[in-house]
Amino acid sequence: MTRRTRQRTWILGGVGLIACGILGVLPPGGRVGSGPILLVTDVLFAASVLLFAVGLSRDASVVTRRPLGVTAMAIVAIWPLLSSVITRAMGPGVSPNDDAWVAYGYIALFIPTAAGLVAAMQIARSDTVPSPWRWAPAWVLGMQALAWAVSQAVLVTARPENVQSFAEPFHMLGTLASLAATLGLGILALILAARSRPESVQVYRSP
C-alpha cells in the first residue's frame, strides 16, 4: 500500500508540474485569456508542490511530512500566486524606482530562494526519493541561481548600448531554468513513479 500511495502521489504531482511547464511556454498570442491561464498555472503549481510535500500518506511525502520541509515547500508552492496578487495590488501606477517596489524586489528574491534551498535540502535528507534523484531539486535550484548570476554579471559588465542584444538569450536561459523546475521535475516524478511498483503478491500453486 505504501508504494502504491507513493506512486499515485508522484503521478498526480508530476502531471501537474508537466502541465505547468507546458502552459508556461505557450506563446502569449496563442493563449485564450492569458490572465486566467496564468492564474490556473499558479494554482496548479501550488497544488502539485503541496501534494509532493504532504503526500497521500506520510511515506509518500518527499519530506516525510517533516514540519520544516512541509513549511518550506508550502512557501515555494504559494509564492508565485502570492507574488501575482502583490504585483496587481501595487498597480502599474507605482514607479519601478519607488521604495515599495525596491523592497518588494529584495523580498521576492530572498523568500523563494531561501524556501527553495531549505526544501531541496529536506528532500535530499529524506529517504523517500531514491538516490541520486533526491538531489534533483537542489540541481534545479543551482541551475536557476547560475542563470540569475550569469544575467547579472552580463548586465554589470556589458555596455549600456549592448544590453538589449542580450534580451533574447536571457529570456531563453530563464525559460530553460523554469522548465527544469516544472517539466523536468514532473517527468522525473513520473519515471520514479513507474519504477516504484506496488508490492506484488506471491501466489503459490497447490501441488
Side-chain angles (χ1 to χ4, degrees):
M1 182 61 69
T2 298
R3 291 184 182 177
R4 184 171 299 172
T5 306
R6 183 182 302 172
Q7 190 178 41
R8 290 174 181 172
T9 299
W10 292 0
I11 289 175
L12 291 174
V15 169
L17 289 182
I18 291 172
C20 290
I22 294 173
L23 290 174
V25 297
L26 288 177
R31 298 180 184 177
V32 180
S34 59
I37 292 296
L38 290 176
L39 177 61
V40 170
T41 303
D42 289 343
V43 171
L44 188 58
F45 177 80
S48 301
V49 175
L50 287 174
L51 179 59
F52 278 118
V54 178
L56 297 178
S57 69
R58 180 183 179 85
D59 292 329
S61 165
V62 295
V63 291
T64 57
R65 292 185 181 175
R66 292 193 179 101
L68 181 60
V70 172
T71 301
M73 292 190 68
I75 295 173
V76 172
I78 66 174
W79 180 256
L81 194 59
L82 183 61
S83 178
S84 298
V85 172
I86 294 174
T87 302
R88 287 174 179 247
M90 296 181 71
V94 181
S95 171
N97 296 322
D98 189 271
D99 290 341
W101 270 117
V102 174
Y104 172 70
Y106 286 114
I107 293 172
L109 177 64
F110 174 76
I111 290 181
T113 301
L117 180 60
V118 172
M121 292 301 98
Q122 289 296 305
I123 294 172
R125 290 181 58 189
S126 173
D127 294 331
T128 305
V129 182
S131 184
W133 308 115
R134 66 185 62 170
W135 290 96
W139 299 338
V140 170
L141 190 63
M143 182 186 303
Q144 292 176 334
L146 179 62
W148 179 85
V150 168
S151 63
Q152 293 302 308
V154 172
L155 289 175
V156 170
T157 57
R159 294 182 178 180
E161 61 271 17
N162 295 331
V163 170
Q164 188 61 32
S165 63
F166 292 99
E168 188 64 26
F170 285 170
H171 176 71
M172 293 179 61
L173 194 61
T175 300
L176 288 175
S178 177
L179 284 176
T182 52
L183 193 65
L185 291 181
I187 292 174
L188 178 60
L190 293 185
I191 293 174
L192 294 178
R195 291 173 56 183
S196 179
R197 301 290 184 184
E199 292 93 335
S200 58
V201 178
Q202 184 68 42
V203 178
Y204 295 93
R205 293 182 179 181
S206 58

